[in-house]
Amino acid sequence: MAPEEIIAALGMQRHPEGGWFVETFRDGDGTGRGASTAIYYLLQSGERSHWHRVRDAAEVWHYYAGDPLLLKISDGKTVQDIRLGTDLAAGERPQAVVPSDMWQAAEPLGAFTLVGCTVAPGFEFSSFEMAEPGWQPG
């Protein structure tokens, strides 16, 4: 499928950090934050997930389809690069964990990448922080 077809099929909308998303799961009874949340997230060529962090929750990225994704994780000083994908022999991994309060950014290494992100405890925009435009760790 083309990225536009995936976006339509999954009912995705623009994400403030870049790309497209749709929440697929929110654990709990609806009265509080919940134990976890899950989304589909898609980036097309030329789009990126800008540097951001979730102050009080860990985030697990899951690769689903398309080209590999370059995920960058930083403590603000050093950067770790992780390639999400299915070519294990080339060092790609289908999953990566971003600990709470760590900076992260991502970009597709081709036409598009479809991933999932699971956040625990559940994602809340009040705990989400985007870096200033042009900010780079280190």
Side-chain angles (χ1 to χ4, degrees):
M1 294 178 75
E4 297 80 11
E5 294 172 307
I6 296 170
I7 290 165
L10 296 178
M12 301 174 101
Q13 61 185 338
R14 283 280 183 198
H15 196 288
E17 76 192 47
W20 299 84
F21 85 107
V22 61
E23 186 174 280
T24 58
F25 175 75
R26 182 169 288 272
D27 187 32
D29 60 8
T31 60
R33 182 175 190 171
S36 66
T37 53
I39 65 168
Y40 290 128
Y41 185 60
L42 185 140
L43 289 168
Q44 298 180 75
S45 178
E47 294 179 330
R48 63 186 313 262
S49 168
H50 297 278
W51 284 107
H52 68 284
R53 62 182 167 183
V54 181
R55 290 198 163 273
D56 59 359
E59 184 166 356
V60 182
W61 289 66
H62 314 267
Y63 173 84
Y64 295 137
D67 298 296
L69 179 92
L70 177 61
L71 175 64
K72 296 176 175 283
I73 303 171
S74 177
D75 59 5
K77 299 177 185 125
T78 61
V79 177
Q80 175 188 10
D81 289 348
I82 300 171
R83 286 177 59 109
L84 289 178
T86 58
D87 190 346
L88 303 180
E92 294 175 2
R93 295 295 178 255
Q95 185 182 86
V97 177
V98 179
S100 64
D101 206 33
M102 295 288 279
W103 292 99
Q104 56 185 299
E107 60 187 89
L109 297 174
F112 79 93
T113 308
L114 176 65
V115 296
C117 295
T118 304
V119 177
F123 179 82
E124 294 289 339
F125 272 104
S126 60
S127 298
F128 174 81
E129 179 185 1
M130 283 194 49
E132 293 294 323
W135 180 84
Q136 294 292 319

